[in-house]
């Protein structure tokens, strides 16, 4: 279970407050969606949870299954079961996608005291999962995300998620840049991981993704806070009317 | 001109303490000419433009600074490679440690033995390519080498050699001062891979002259010694004929001072020259790659790829020049030098130069200095890769472009192992 309590975050190098008291609880097995205007703090929330440098938590906190996330290094958070599908996946020239995936999978296993996956077992698994996401062998051989199209990068994020089998998956605009078919593939990939225990926090601007990945709860983030939460109908309302009405209530 | 006089005096003083060289035999003329060259230009000085970033004093002065012999449990460099081994200890050929100098398609002789003969094929090359390489930029340490060298290897390749020739430089005495000079001639369509490894001595002055005839292919992989206090000044002078190929890669891990000069002249059409290097330095480490490639023929290609990883006060230097003469149309010249600085104390100085007199050429050069990409590092860590492993992955990936210049996969893997070893040793 992910619990965010009264999370206040400012930029480390600047006197700029970005999150101003985020409260959010994601129960095991549920899908939560976060929508909200550009610049409202959605990505910042995901970065702070996964441990990116440059932010300072001034108040509040966040835990995963009771463990203080903010105390941990990014790799420890990953081993604890947190995964972030990046809004902008990073290109890493010179590091092969396959090598990267295998290093990551085995590093997490090692951190959890589990046995490392053999080369053969890893290969078998990665091939099957890549196939389901229509990621071809050539893409697996290439350097991480280098020369990948926008949509290929997003599918590659989902492949990593499928291989790492995290408990808590945060997807930051994974739907942006995807064509209709790719969006279906990605949604299927996500849905295949739904097992009643794994949780998802899906950041998106569009209702369409939520047609495929059915959320239990939809939150609206504005100006560094969750300003409204509701059922899937909230996403429909945003789709139809934009944020004006919702934001007006809190002005 | 007091400065020049001081440099000349230094040259005379330096030559005086080196062993007396033969005054007869086919090398005598070349040696005398080199001594004459050196006495005119003098030893390199701190104020020379070409030594702006690297202090030549400890390389050129009479006294050698001592260097402790490194005790290492690392597996021997190229240990798994089937090769013909030629061993030098503190710059002296060691017959008992070397293999029989016989291999199909190749003639190998020791310079010291061959020098007493009256005539020799190497007389057309010994000190000749070096002398040619003295202009437009003077390279006094190379002239010093030709004038005073006692030992080295002469290799004439007539066919495709089945295994690499491997020069192994053992460092034994703390204050050893070694000078070696090798000459390699590849006849038409011949092929050779030359390996070099080891520190050689506390101070090492090495010249390698390579003459590559039409359609011949020369490949050179070098791993310089890891002894922390060792100093080295090396020069490669290569001349490339029509459709020939030259590839040289050097890995340098530690060593307080290294100056590697590579001077290549593309004299035949459609020739290709690649020079690459990976240098890793931690602390008291100064590494200088100085490259001068002259295009003097049509449709030739040259490529320079130099990467340095520096930390904790380590300093890297790159001086790379591509000179395209007026008749060298369709030249394809490329040069990249990059440094990865692991902290704020490390420093990289680069001087890339293009001088082009032909009008139909494609030449590009670039130089970058930077830290490990924070975004990439976070991305790797967010997938569970521990910080130190993520850093190592980034460092190795940074070096990969240079390693990629090694054609042979098992040699490339051996070199990768050296780089990983350096990273692992930094962990403890
Ligand atoms: N490192 C930074 N430096 C300066 N401003 C920053 C930084 N990180 C975030 N911000 C600012 O914080 C605010 C929130 O950014 P964030 O990326 O979290 O928004 P978002 O809700 O994800 O927006 P979008 O929907 O456009 O992706 C923005 O105004 C952004 O410019
Ligand atoms: Mg965002």
């Amino acid at each position: 279970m992910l619990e965010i309590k009264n999370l206040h975050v400012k930029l480390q190098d600047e006197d700029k407050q970005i999150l101003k008291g985020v409260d959010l609880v994601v129960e095991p097995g549920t899908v939560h969606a976060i929508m909200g205007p550009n610049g409202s703090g959605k990505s910042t929330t995901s970065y702070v949870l996964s441990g990116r440098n440059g932010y300072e938590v001034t108040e509040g906190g966040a835990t995963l299954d009771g463990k203080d996330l903010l105390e941990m290094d990014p790799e420890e958070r990953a081993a604890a079961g947190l995964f972030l599908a990046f809004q902008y996946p990073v290109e890493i020239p010179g590091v092969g996608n396959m090598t990267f995936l295998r290093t990551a999978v085995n590093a997490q296993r090692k951190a959890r005291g589990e046995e490392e996956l053999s080369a053969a077992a890893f290969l078998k698994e990665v091939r099957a999962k890549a196939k389901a996401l229509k990621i071809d062998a050539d893409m697996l051989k290439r350097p991480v995300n280098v020369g990948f199209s926008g949509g290929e990068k997003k599918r590659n994020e989902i492949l990593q998620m499928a291989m790492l089998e995290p408990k808590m998956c945060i997807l930051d605009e994974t739907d942006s840049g995807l064509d209709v078919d790719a969006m279906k593939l990605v949604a299927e990939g996500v849905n295949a991981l739904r097992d009643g225990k794994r949780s998802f926090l899906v950041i998106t601007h569009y209702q369409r993704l939520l047609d495929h990945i059915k959320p239990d709860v939809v939150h609206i983030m504005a100006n560094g806070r969750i300003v409204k939460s509701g059922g899937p109908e909230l996403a429909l309302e945003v789709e139809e009317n934009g944020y004006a009405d919702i934001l007006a209530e809190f002005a | 001109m007091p400065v020049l006089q001081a440099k000349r005096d230094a040259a005379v003083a330096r030559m005086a303490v080196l062993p007396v060289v033969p005054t007869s035999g086919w090398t005598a003329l070349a040696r005398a000419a080199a001594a004459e060259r050196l006495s005119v230009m003098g030893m390199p000085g701190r104020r020379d433009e070409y030594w702006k970033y690297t202090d030549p004093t400890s390389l050129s002065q009479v006294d050698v600074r001592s260097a402790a012999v490194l005790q290492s449990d690392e597996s021997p460099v190229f240990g798994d490679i089937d090769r013909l081994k030629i061993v030098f200890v503190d710059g002296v050929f060691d017959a008992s440690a070397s293999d029989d100098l016989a291999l199909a398609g190749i003639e190998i002789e020791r310079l010291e033995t061959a020098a007493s003969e009256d005539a020799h094929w190497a007389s057309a090359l010994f000190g000749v390519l070096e002398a040619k390489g003295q202009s437009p930029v003077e390279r006094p340490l190379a002239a010093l080498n030709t004038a005073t060298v006692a030992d080295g290897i002469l290799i004439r390749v007539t066919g495709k050699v089945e295994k690499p020739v491997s020069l192994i430089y053992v460092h034994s005495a703390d204050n050893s001062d070694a000078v070696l000079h090798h000459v390699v001639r590849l006849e038409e369509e011949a092929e050779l891979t030359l390996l070099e490894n080891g520190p050689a001595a506390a101070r090492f002055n090495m010249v390698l002259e390579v003459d590559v005839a039409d359609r011949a292919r020369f490949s050179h992989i070098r791993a310089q010694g890891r002894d922390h206090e060792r100093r080295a000044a090396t020069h490669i002078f290569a001349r490339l004929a029509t459709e020939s190929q030259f590839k040289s890669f050097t890995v340098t891990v530690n060593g307080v001072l290294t100056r590697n000069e590579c001077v290549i002249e593309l004299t035949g059409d459609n020739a290709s020259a690649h020079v690459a290097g990976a240098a890793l330095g931690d602390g008291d480490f100064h590494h200088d790659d100085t490259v001068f490639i002259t295009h003097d023929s049509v449709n030739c290609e040259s490529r320079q790829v130099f990467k340095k990883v520096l930390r904790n006060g380590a300093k890297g230097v790159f001086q790379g020049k591509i000179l395209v003469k007026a008749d060298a149309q369709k030249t394809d010249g490329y040069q990249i030098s990059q440094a990865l600085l692991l902290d704020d104390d490390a420093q990289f100085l680069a001087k890339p130069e293009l001088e082009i007199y032909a009008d139909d050429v494609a030449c590009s050069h670039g130089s970058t200095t930077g830290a490990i990409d924070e975004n990439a590092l976070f991305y790797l860590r967010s997938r569970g890769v521990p910080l130190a492993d993520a850093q190592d992955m980034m460092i190795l990936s940074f070096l990969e472009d240079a390693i990629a210049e090694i054609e042979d996969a098992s040699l490339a893997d051996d070199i990768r192992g050296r780089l990983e070893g350096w990273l692992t040793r930094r962990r403890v």
Side-chain angles (χ1 to χ4, degrees):
Chain A
M1 184 165 70
L2 175 71
E3 281 187 279
I4 306 173
K5 273 194 197 137
N6 193 31
L7 188 64
H8 285 69
V9 171
K10 70 178 272 292
L11 291 178
Q12 211 158 48
D13 303 332
E14 258 177 74
D15 203 16
K16 184 171 174 186
Q17 195 76 29
I18 299 178
L19 301 185
K20 302 166 182 171
V22 176
D23 282 292
L24 184 66
V25 176
V26 184
E27 306 276 1
T30 61
V31 176
H32 286 229
I34 300 188
M35 304 180 84
N38 293 133
S40 55
K42 304 181 297 296
S43 292
T44 303
T45 306
S46 72
Y47 285 144
V48 171
L49 291 175
S50 47
R52 188 187 177 132
N53 284 336
Y55 304 102
E56 190 185 323
V57 175
T58 52
E59 222 185 308
T63 59
L64 183 65
D65 297 332
K67 281 180 276 185
D68 185 353
L69 272 179
L70 306 182
E71 281 288 298
M72 295 186 233
D73 284 333
E75 54 269 34
E76 293 172 328
R77 303 181 198 205
L82 186 76
F83 180 89
L84 168 64
F86 282 54
Q87 180 171 2
Y88 305 107
V90 181
E91 297 188 4
I92 314 185
V95 176
N97 215 7
M98 203 71 137
T99 313
F100 161 62
L101 260 177
R102 188 154 168 236
T103 309
V105 167
N106 283 331
Q108 291 203 15
R109 284 175 165 250
K110 206 172 146 199
R112 290 194 291 258
E114 298 164 15
E115 209 169 302
E116 293 190 8
L117 214 54
S118 77
F122 169 80
L123 209 63
K124 199 172 158 213
E125 201 178 322
V126 85
R127 285 208 180 119
K129 286 178 172 166
K131 197 170 167 215
L133 287 159
K134 295 218 163 82
I135 291 174
D136 60 31
D138 176 57
M139 254 171 81
L140 290 175
K141 274 187 224 141
R142 270 154 54 187
V144 180
N145 293 325
V146 176
F148 288 27
S149 75
E152 285 170 346
K153 285 181 182 166
K154 297 302 177 78
R155 274 185 279 153
N156 200 28
E157 294 290 288
I158 301 304
L159 173 64
Q160 291 168 30
M161 187 167 89
M163 288 303 296
L164 294 168
E165 302 182 329
K167 287 185 204 158
M168 177 71 230
C169 311
I170 306 176
L171 283 73
D172 191 356
E173 292 196 30
T174 301
D175 52 339
S176 69
L178 290 181
D179 65 41
V180 185
D181 296 329
M183 172 145 17
K184 268 199 190 140
L185 276 180
V186 163
E188 278 164 22
V190 171
N191 288 330
L193 285 169
R194 294 193 64 177
D195 62 355
K197 284 178 279 182
R198 186 170 286 126
S199 320
F200 295 86
L201 188 60
V202 180
I203 299 171
T204 182
H205 286 295
Y206 306 106
Q207 150 65 24
R208 169 171 269 153
L209 179 69
L210 304 179
D211 282 342
H212 298 292
I213 308 173
K214 299 250 173 345
D216 299 294
V217 188
V218 175
H219 308 275
I220 308 297
M221 179 173 267
N223 194 18
R225 262 188 216 103
I226 304 281
V227 294
K228 189 168 185 176
S229 303
E233 70 285 349
L234 194 51
L236 289 166
E237 190 188 324
V238 168
E239 179 88 353
E240 227 146 85
N241 306 326
Y243 293 109
D245 294 351
I246 297 170
L247 298 188
E249 289 175 44
F250 300 90
Chain B
M1 252 222 223
V3 174
L4 181 59
Q5 195 52 53
K7 287 166 64 172
R8 286 175 174 169
D9 292 346
V12 172
R14 181 75 177 94
M15 280 191 280
V17 297
L18 284 159
V20 179
V21 296
T23 48
S24 64
W26 61 272
T27 64
L29 268 178
R31 292 172 186 285
E36 176 59 25
R37 273 198 294 286
L38 181 62
S39 61
V40 172
M41 62 187 148
M43 290 304 256
R46 194 75 188 89
R47 272 181 263 177
D48 294 358
E49 183 63 24
Y50 218 45
W51 291 87
K52 193 171 163 185
Y53 304 124
T54 298
D55 183 353
T57 309
S58 65
L59 296 171
S60 58
Q61 71 187 9
V62 169
D63 295 331
V64 56
R65 297 202 195 154
S66 85
V69 175
L70 180 81
Q71 306 298 331
S72 164
D73 51 9
E74 193 183 36
S75 66
V77 178
F78 308 134
D80 296 333
I81 309 288
D82 182 26
R83 64 210 156 116
L84 185 138
K85 295 197 271 289
I86 302 176
V87 180
F88 294 88
V89 178
D90 288 333
V92 180
F93 176 69
D94 182 346
S96 63
S98 302
D99 290 334
D100 197 6
L101 302 186
L103 204 59
I106 189 170
E107 294 163 21
I108 307 174
E109 277 172 283
R110 196 179 160 193
L111 173 65
E112 201 211 30
T113 330
S116 59
E117 292 166 26
D118 292 331
H120 199 277
W121 61 264
S123 64
L125 298 170
F126 177 83
V128 173
L129 298 186
E130 174 260 300
K132 193 127 198 297
Q134 295 290 350
S135 115
V137 190
E138 290 175 349
R139 306 172 198 279
L141 294 172
L144 172 77
N145 180 302
T146 302
T148 64
V149 69
D151 222 332
I153 284 290
L154 309 174
I155 298 175
R156 197 169 81 92
V157 192
T158 50
K160 293 188 181 18
V161 186
E162 70 191 61
K163 57 184 174 185
V165 171
S166 177
L167 306 178
I168 300 165
Y169 304 134
V170 178
H171 175 200
S172 165
D174 280 0
N175 58 352
S176 51
D177 195 8
V179 182
L180 286 175
H181 192 127
H182 314 297
V183 179
V184 179
R185 157 81 185 169
L186 287 98
E187 303 294 350
E188 286 185 14
E189 292 179 32
E191 286 180 24
L192 173 73
T193 296
L194 182 71
L195 308 177
E196 285 184 280
N197 75 278
R203 178 166 67 184
F204 186 33
N205 180 328
M206 197 282 302
V207 166
L208 169 65
E209 289 171 301
V210 187
D211 191 34
V212 193
D214 294 357
R215 296 177 303 285
R217 293 157 71 99
F218 176 72
S219 149
H220 172 237
I221 318 287
R222 167 165 66 171
Q224 294 183 299
R226 275 175 45 213
D227 301 27
H228 290 281
E229 294 129 338
R230 66 125 189 93
R231 288 157 205 275
T234 77
H235 290 82
I236 298 172
F237 297 95
R239 180 168 68 191
L240 275 65
T242 305
E243 285 169 39
S244 67
Q245 186 187 303
F246 172 98
K247 284 198 115 180
S248 174
F249 172 90
T250 301
V251 65
T252 311
V253 168
N254 302 341
V256 69
L257 179 60
T258 307
R259 163 91 159 202
N260 291 331
E261 296 195 26
C262 188
V263 184
I264 299 173
E265 210 181 351
L266 297 126
T267 60
D269 295 351
N270 306 311
S272 156
H274 289 207
V275 201
L280 305 177
D282 182 359
D284 203 358
F285 172 91
H286 182 109
H287 188 277
D288 176 334
D289 283 302
T290 291
V291 181
F292 199 115
I293 296 183
T294 305
H295 283 261
D296 198 9
S297 215
V298 176
N299 203 29
C300 290
E301 187 231 358
S302 72
R303 189 176 162 84
Q304 304 170 43
V305 182
F306 287 89
K307 303 262 184 164
K308 297 182 204 286
V309 176
L310 306 165
R311 62 174 235 176
N312 193 16
K315 197 163 164 184
V317 174
F318 174 78
Q319 304 188 101
K321 177 152 180 172
I322 306 175
L323 169 63
V324 181
K325 295 206 174 164
D327 51 0
Q329 300 296 0
K330 308 268 181 220
T331 287
D332 177 2
Y334 175 78
Q335 176 196 92
I336 182 90
S337 65
Q338 294 183 300
L340 190 61
L341 307 184
L342 300 183
D343 55 37
D344 295 338
D345 294 337
Q347 197 186 3
F348 179 56
L349 300 160
K351 190 178 170 199
E353 277 182 288
L354 294 178
E355 195 176 326
I356 301 173
Y357 297 101
D359 44 34
D360 183 14
V361 301
C363 280
S364 63
H365 67 86
S367 184
T368 66
T369 305
I372 292 182
D373 179 355
E374 279 293 327
N375 276 328
L377 207 55
F378 172 62
Y379 191 70
L380 292 170
R381 297 178 76 190
S382 79
R383 290 339 182 208
V385 182
L387 175 61
D389 294 320
Q391 282 167 334
D392 287 1
M393 279 176 95
M394 295 301 296
I395 292 169
L396 292 172
S397 77
F398 167 79
L399 295 167
E400 194 51 39
D401 287 344
I403 312 291
E405 290 293 326
I406 304 172
E407 267 171 26
D408 183 277
S410 46
L411 287 170
D413 280 344
D414 190 301
I415 298 298
R416 279 191 197 94
R418 308 297 139 194
L419 304 172
E420 283 161 14
W422 186 86
L423 292 169
T424 310
R425 290 190 295 276
R426 305 263 118 25
R427 294 272 190 102
V428 288

